[in-house]
Amino acid sequence: MNATDLPLSADDIYDAQRRLRGVAASTPVLSHPALDEIAGRSVICKAEALQRTGSFKFRGAYNAVAALSPRECRRGIIGASSGNHAQALALAGHLLSVPVTVVVPHDAPEGKVNGARTLGANIVAYHRQRDDRDAIVAQLATDQGLTIVPSADAPAVIAGAGTVALELLWQAPVLTAILVPVGGGGLAAGTAVAAKHINPHIKVIGVEPAMAADTAVSLRAGQIAELPAVPDTIADGLRHTTPAAMPWEINKALLDDVITVTDAQIVQAMGWAFQHLKVVTEPSGAVALAALASLDSQPGPVGVILSGGSVGLDAFHRLVATPPPRKEPALA
């Protein structure tokens, strides 16, 4: 598939960058010799855990809401989220005076849900195993005249996420590869479009939890595949059973590889980020860093996107102090 056939272009990402200027934080890049030793090459981490609301999600949410018509803004927006997109939508709505409703799973981290509620969002809970999240969102949108802002499956959301890679490659133009977490796939898709536009030879490698490898399974199948159940992984932001449609079209064309990591590796990476970079990451935010030891021996610096840091003190301490067992079921 040619770049011109994709549902997103680099121009869309540059437009998003202009909307976000002065609104989103330009997050720093960080490095440490210990991480270089683990990877066998220079490692440069993009600390999106320090973004507003604690994750990269604010970029896509704000870009999408800022692009709405005045009528859509007056009526309000709705989105589904495990937590980070909820907080991002809530802040975007707060800044732009747009009413926000977010549909969150019953087991979403309390800190993320409270963060969205504090910013004025109306919270609607559902049960991951029993309820159809998308049906709930669609019904509420129809009943209340709300505009749906997905967490990944929309051009404006993917474009906003892609500004992470634009900044990273401006800060570190020497990168030969980028490791990026994959959940719904929006961040990976935006990263791939931006990075390949700037440097067609750069490798963009997605990283998923081994227990939630819906994109890896789909790539092997050559089409969108669905996991049999909601994944049981500590990376709560990446518990997807199937890739989102639009990011999938981009990722199957542009991602060079997808690596999977265990929950034990994710917790180890959270420790690395805290010890060496002095950055607190949530499990989902540390997934890309967890893949360092799995990289091939290709020379050149590698970028790592630390995508989020929305984790409570008690949860962080519990995970790092008592990590999950290393032996996990192999992916079927």
Side-chain angles (χ1 to χ4, degrees):
M1 182 181 289
N2 296 323
T4 54
D5 299 325
L6 296 175
L8 188 81
S9 71
D11 287 341
D12 297 321
I13 299 175
Y14 284 113
D15 287 342
Q17 188 179 49
R18 284 188 284 273
R19 283 196 189 96
L20 291 166
R21 188 171 294 127
V23 181
S26 179
T27 53
V29 291
L30 306 169
S31 60
H32 193 279
L35 299 180
D36 298 348
E37 184 175 353
I38 292 167
R41 59 205 289 188
S42 177
V43 177
I44 299 172
C45 296
K46 179 68 167 163
E48 277 297 292
L50 303 179
Q51 185 55 258
R52 298 183 75 169
T53 71
S55 86
F56 78 96
K57 290 286 189 180
F58 176 68
R59 295 174 183 263
Y62 186 91
N63 186 52
V65 177
L68 296 178
S69 69
R71 182 173 180 271
E72 290 171 319
C73 288
R74 285 193 301 272
R75 300 189 75 166
I77 60 173
I78 186 170
S81 168
S82 61
N84 282 337
H85 183 58
Q87 293 185 95
L89 280 181
L91 179 56
H94 177 75
L95 294 174
L96 296 167
S97 300
V98 178
V100 176
T101 297
V102 290
V103 178
V104 302
H106 73 288
D107 57 353
E110 186 177 352
K112 295 181 180 182
V113 176
N114 286 339
R117 185 181 286 113
T118 299
L119 287 165
N122 174 42
I123 307 297
V124 177
Y126 74 95
H127 196 286
R128 286 185 194 265
Q129 283 73 31
R130 295 198 302 261
D131 300 328
D132 185 334
R133 181 194 73 174
D134 294 336
I136 293 171
V137 171
Q139 189 64 56
L140 288 171
T142 299
D143 293 346
Q144 301 177 26
L146 307 176
T147 297
I148 299 173
V149 181
S151 61
D153 203 15
V157 173
I158 302 172
T163 63
V164 176
L166 286 187
E167 279 186 15
L168 173 58
L169 288 169
W170 174 74
Q171 294 163 312
V174 296
L175 295 181
T176 59
I178 297 176
L179 291 171
V180 56
V182 184
L187 177 59
T191 297
V193 171
K196 299 285 187 179
H197 170 74
I198 294 172
N199 176 7
H201 303 293
I202 196 169
K203 302 293 184 184
V204 180
I205 302 167
V207 188
E208 290 183 301
M211 305 296 286
D214 51 297
T215 294
V217 170
S218 297
L219 287 172
R220 287 207 301 270
Q223 61 185 5
I224 289 181
E226 185 172 1
L227 301 182
V230 176
D232 181 17
T233 172
I234 60 170
D236 62 275
L238 308 181
R239 290 177 184 162
H240 295 264
T241 58
T242 187
M246 189 174 295
W248 162 251
E249 290 299 318
I250 297 170
N251 288 331
K252 73 177 181 179
L254 297 184
L255 286 186
D256 294 282
D257 196 5
V258 175
I259 296 173
T260 61
V261 293
T262 66
D263 279 4
Q265 288 174 306
I266 293 169
V267 170
Q268 183 181 48
M270 293 172 67
W272 291 342
F274 181 75
Q275 180 179 359
H276 302 309
L277 304 177
K278 309 309 175 190
V279 173
V280 172
T281 56
E282 62 186 288
S284 301
V287 164
L289 188 64
L292 279 187
S294 305
L295 282 178
D296 58 29
S297 57
Q298 176 189 346
V302 59
V304 177
I305 297 178
L306 304 177
S307 60
S310 298
V311 60
L313 177 61
D314 290 344
F316 181 85
H317 180 267
R318 183 175 65 253
L319 285 168
V320 175
T322 312
R326 287 186 169 276
K327 187 174 182 180
E328 300 189 14
L331 185 66

